[in-house]
């Protein structure tokens, strides 16, 4: 299967679509009384009052989520190939993206984090272009605005502001205008929101938006480890990919090295940002899928022993299906 997706064959578009729904057999098989879809953060509903909480039946919800994941996988695949992050262009990034978004049941329904992944993929593309731009002020400003829009959908997305500074450190020599541009882009979105709150004579509520920023990072976690056993094969593949990346690190182009460093930090920031939402759900970690998928794809793109990597991937998929059904 991996060998098939190592090729840029158009038939893989059909295989990816079939694979997307294959991994969702378990959630289609279950009965669902109700699946809520919070389209926006409560503080943004004053600006855009669209109620989609009960707009879809459970199966429609899951079906639309699957189609969105498929579209995201194709866009993500194109971004990774355009920036030459792997040995050669392939459909492996899309394959790994779909696999990553199928690890847990909550990943398979409509959620704010799922919508934000469109913005995250867009941001990744813009970040990877920073080193190729003579003047990056406009690009950084755009990234700030995209993060602002993402924050309206899902508040922890604001943590991506840190990635602007990390990306500038990696790809650009210091220019204070570029560092300020991202913040101005972000503030622009919330400036208009503040004006709207003021217009509605509700400015005191606007200040409440920022309360989660004062949350302390939790020191105690309540984790049911049985729910996360599916991450064992993911961890194995990531370790193998890291070893392979280290072996090839200094043989790679400097831009490729920096790109992987950026994606590593993005993975960490995405995972850690859960503390900005006291009532966060498992689907929050969908934000880790795009950067994590590149590393998984890197392993399968560079692995040599076919019997081993094909067997490893089959066991990976079977473990996902097993833990979804049990």
């Amino acid at each position: 299967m991996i060998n098939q997706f190592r090729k840029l064959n158009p038939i893989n578009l059909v295989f990816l679509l079939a694979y997307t729904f294959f991994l969702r057999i378990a959630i289609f098989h279950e009965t669902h009384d109700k699946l809520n879809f919070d389209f926006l953060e409560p503080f943004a509903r004053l600006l855009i009052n669209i109620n989609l909480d009960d707009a879809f039946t459970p199966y429609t919800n899951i079906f639309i989520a699957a189609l969105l994941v498929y579209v995201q996988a194709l866009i993500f695949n194109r971004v990774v190939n355009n920036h030459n992050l792997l040995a050669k262009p392939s459909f492996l990034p899309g394959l790994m993206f779909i696999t990553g978004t199928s690890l847990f049941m909550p990943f398979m329904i409509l959620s704010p984090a799922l919508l934000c992944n469109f913005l995250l993929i867009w941001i990744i593309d813009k970040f990877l272009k920073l080193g190729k731009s003579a003047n990056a002020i406009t690009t950084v400003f755009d990234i700030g605005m995209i993060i602002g829009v993402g924050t309206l959908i899902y508040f922890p997305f604001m943590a991506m502001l840190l990635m602007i500074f990390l990306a500038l450190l990696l790809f650009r020599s210091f220019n204070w205008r570029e560092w300020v541009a991202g913040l101005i882009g972000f503030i622009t979105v919330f400036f208009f929101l503040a004006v709207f709150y003021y217009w509605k004579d509700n400015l005191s509520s606007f200040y409440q938006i920022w309360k989660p920023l004062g949350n302390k990072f939790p020191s105690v976690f309540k984790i049911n480890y049985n729910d996360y056993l599916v991450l064992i094969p993911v961890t194995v593949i990531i370790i193998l990919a890291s070893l392979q990346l280290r072996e090839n690190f200094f043989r790679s182009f400097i831009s490729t090295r920096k790109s992987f460093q950026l994606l590593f930090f993005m993975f960490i920031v995405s995972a850690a940002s859960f503390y900005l939402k006291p009532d966060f759900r498992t689907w929050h970690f969908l934000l880790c899928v795009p950067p994590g998928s590149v590393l998984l794809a890197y392993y399968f793109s560079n692995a040599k022993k076919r019997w081993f990597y094909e067997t490893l991937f089959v066991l990976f998929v079977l473990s996902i299906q097993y833990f979804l059904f049990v």
Side-chain angles (χ1 to χ4, degrees), residues 64-276:
I64 293 173
L67 290 181
L68 291 180
V69 164
Y70 176 69
V71 173
Q72 287 175 354
L74 297 185
I75 299 170
F76 178 71
N77 197 84
R78 185 181 179 87
V79 168
V80 174
N81 286 338
N82 284 349
H83 292 284
N84 300 313
L85 296 183
L86 305 183
K88 60 180 182 179
S90 69
F91 274 101
L92 287 175
L95 180 71
M96 294 303 134
F97 184 92
I98 290 171
T99 307
T101 55
S102 309
L103 288 172
F104 304 104
M105 287 283 191
F107 281 15
M108 301 183 191
I109 61 175
L110 288 174
S111 65
L114 178 61
L115 296 183
C116 281
N117 266 349
F118 279 108
L119 302 178
L120 191 59
I121 294 167
W122 191 7
I123 287 171
I124 290 173
D125 184 39
K126 285 186 171 293
F127 276 145
L128 297 179
K129 289 176 180 175
L130 283 179
K132 304 168 188 174
S133 306
N135 188 343
I137 293 176
T138 304
T139 302
V140 176
F141 179 82
D142 291 344
I143 292 171
M145 289 199 71
I146 295 168
I147 294 171
V149 172
T151 304
L152 297 180
I153 298 171
Y154 185 51
F155 188 76
F157 195 74
M158 185 174 62
M160 286 298 119
L161 280 172
L162 290 174
M163 292 309 306
I164 294 179
F165 307 122
L166 288 169
L168 289 172
L169 281 171
L170 284 169
F171 292 105
R172 311 284 301 177
S173 56
F174 181 75
N175 181 337
W176 69 269
R177 292 179 181 86
E178 293 175 356
W179 284 65
V180 172
L183 287 175
I184 293 175
F186 179 82
I187 291 169
T188 300
V189 174
F190 278 87
F191 171 76
F192 287 111
L193 183 64
V195 169
F196 197 78
Y197 267 79
Y198 178 75
W199 187 22
K200 294 288 185 179
D201 197 24
N202 199 14
L203 198 57
S204 58
S205 297
F206 179 77
Y207 301 130
Q208 303 302 314
I209 295 172
W210 313 103
K211 273 193 170 181
L213 294 177
N215 292 345
K216 292 182 179 179
F217 196 83
S219 56
V220 179
F221 299 95
K222 294 180 181 178
I223 299 174
N224 183 355
Y225 292 100
N226 291 332
D227 292 341
Y228 299 97
L229 291 175
V230 70
L231 294 179
I232 293 175
V234 179
T235 305
V236 170
I237 298 171
I238 286 177
I239 291 171
L240 292 172
S242 300
L243 293 172
Q244 202 163 62
L245 187 61
R246 188 184 68 173
E247 183 182 335
N248 298 331
F249 193 72
F250 291 105
R251 301 177 195 169
S252 307
F253 293 111
I254 294 175
S255 60
T256 305
R257 291 182 222 162
K258 291 181 176 180
S259 299
F260 275 99
Q261 289 172 334
L262 176 80
L263 292 168
F264 169 76
F265 287 121
M266 183 174 284
F267 182 90
I268 299 298
V269 170
S270 299
S273 63
F274 74 89
Y275 85 96
L276 292 175

Side-chain angles (χ1 to χ4, degrees), residues 273-284:
S273 63
F274 74 89
Y275 85 96
L276 292 175
K277 189 85 170 175
D279 57 340
F280 83 96
R281 302 286 186 267
T282 302
W283 46 251
H284 165 87

